[in-house]
Amino acid sequence: MMKKIIIPGVIFLLAGLISAVSAQTYPFELPKLAYGYNSLEPVIDARTMEIHYSKHHAAYLKNLNNALKGTKYEGYSLNELMLHAGELGDAVRNNGGGHYNHALFWNILSIDKPFNPQSEVGKAVIETFGSIDSLKKILSNAGATRFGSGWAWLYVTPGKKLAVSSTPNQDNPIMDVSKERGIPILGIDVWEHAYYLKYQNRRGDYLSAFLDIINWEVVNKNYVDALNSPLLIKVSHSSHRE
Ligand SMILES: [Fe+2]
């Protein structure tokens, strides 16, 4: 059910989750944010949110649609584009990844949906990493050590295990170009555009603060959806390409 939230000057609609975005085809549309630009302060400031969403994500989207227009790939879902990213050229790989990754990113953020060790993903995190603090350290390290621009991921492997990785640019674990494959359930944008206004060069401070605004209800839903997704089989049968 869609519900309008009205804040000064802006109307946001509660959005569907990443699974709905992933099934869409050309022409792709900017997913609506489920909260206002200032909702994640002080961790992410409103100006960064506005530029990130309305300029950066919007640009990936526009460039993706331009790259697909008039091609046979207009009928591909976003998931299918990711699975074949290595074959479709840099414009689709970079902008398709940019669209997928940011759609996931907006959905997994909230200031009041803390980690729940009794949830399905909570149990899996503790079984896999020992504790939420241990996972945070591993994710932080993955983001901090990604040279240049990219993403850190918590994802579900084809063997239905949780794992952490990082990818360059706008790649993600679904892509055939990724060495570590799976379905991402939590993504951390470590491009400077995600944090530079507030944190400047202090990526570590951004990562530390960021991990306190994860919407673990959504990550739990992403986890359960991933375990039951036919995409896991496709990822495991699709070979890695350089
Ligand atoms: Fe970004």
Side-chain angles (χ1 to χ4, degrees):
M1 190 173 118
M2 303 288 276
K3 181 182 176 185
K4 281 185 178 177
I5 298 174
I6 300 179
I7 62 172
V10 190
I11 297 175
F12 293 97
L13 299 173
L14 292 181
L17 301 179
I18 186 65
S19 52
V21 172
S22 303
Q24 290 171 0
T25 59
Y26 172 91
F28 294 99
E29 297 177 356
L30 200 57
K32 303 293 188 290
L33 289 180
Y35 43 76
Y37 290 141
N38 61 355
S39 296
L40 303 173
E41 289 193 340
V43 174
I44 303 178
D45 59 285
R47 183 72 174 139
T48 295
M49 279 297 299
E50 180 179 4
I51 296 170
H52 200 176
Y53 173 76
S54 70
K55 305 296 183 189
H56 290 281
H57 189 170
Y60 294 124
L61 192 74
K62 181 179 177 202
N63 293 335
L64 173 63
N65 283 332
N66 286 342
L68 294 172
K69 188 176 183 180
T71 73
K72 64 181 179 182
Y73 306 112
E74 283 187 355
Y76 276 43
S77 70
L78 192 55
N79 274 339
E80 289 169 326
L81 292 175
M82 299 299 95
L83 284 169
H84 300 283
E87 306 165 16
L88 302 179
D90 286 347
V92 172
R93 175 178 173 177
N94 293 332
N95 294 294
H99 177 41
Y100 181 98
N101 298 346
H102 287 87
L104 173 66
F105 183 77
W106 309 128
N107 268 325
I108 56 97
L109 297 175
S110 174
I111 58 166
D112 58 2
K113 295 291 186 290
F115 180 75
N116 174 6
Q118 302 305 318
S119 66
E120 293 305 306
V121 76
K123 293 174 193 168
V125 163
I126 290 167
E127 181 185 333
T128 308
F129 303 102
S131 68
I132 182 60
D133 287 343
S134 173
L135 170 62
K136 285 181 176 181
K137 281 182 189 166
I138 294 167
L139 273 169
S140 245
N141 186 58
T145 56
R146 166 52 52 192
F147 182 76
S149 299
W151 290 75
W153 303 104
L154 177 64
Y155 67 101
V156 177
T157 70
K160 301 195 171 184
K161 301 293 186 186
L162 285 179
V164 169
S165 71
S166 78
T167 54
N169 304 317
Q170 294 295 352
D171 289 353
N172 65 51
I174 300 175
M175 290 184 176
D176 53 355
V177 294
S178 292
K179 288 182 181 172
E180 292 150 312
R181 307 288 303 281
I183 299 178
I185 61 172
L186 185 168
I188 309 175
D189 189 342
V190 294
W191 284 60
E192 285 189 343
H193 68 224
Y195 62 87
Y196 200 83
L197 287 182
K198 182 176 175 69
Y199 297 91
Q200 293 83 48
N201 62 317
R202 303 187 311 277
R203 186 188 286 187
D205 290 351
Y206 158 69
L207 285 164
S208 175
F210 182 91
L211 287 165
D212 286 334
I213 57 162
I214 301 298
N215 185 333
W216 282 100
E217 281 186 11
V218 169
V219 175
N220 187 58
K221 182 176 190 321
N222 291 347
Y223 174 67
V224 173
D225 286 350
L227 289 177
N228 296 304
S229 173
L231 185 61
L232 263 192
I233 295 169
K234 292 182 181 178
V235 167
S236 64
H237 289 171
S238 167
S239 62
H240 162 65
R241 299 161 193 270
E242 290 294 342

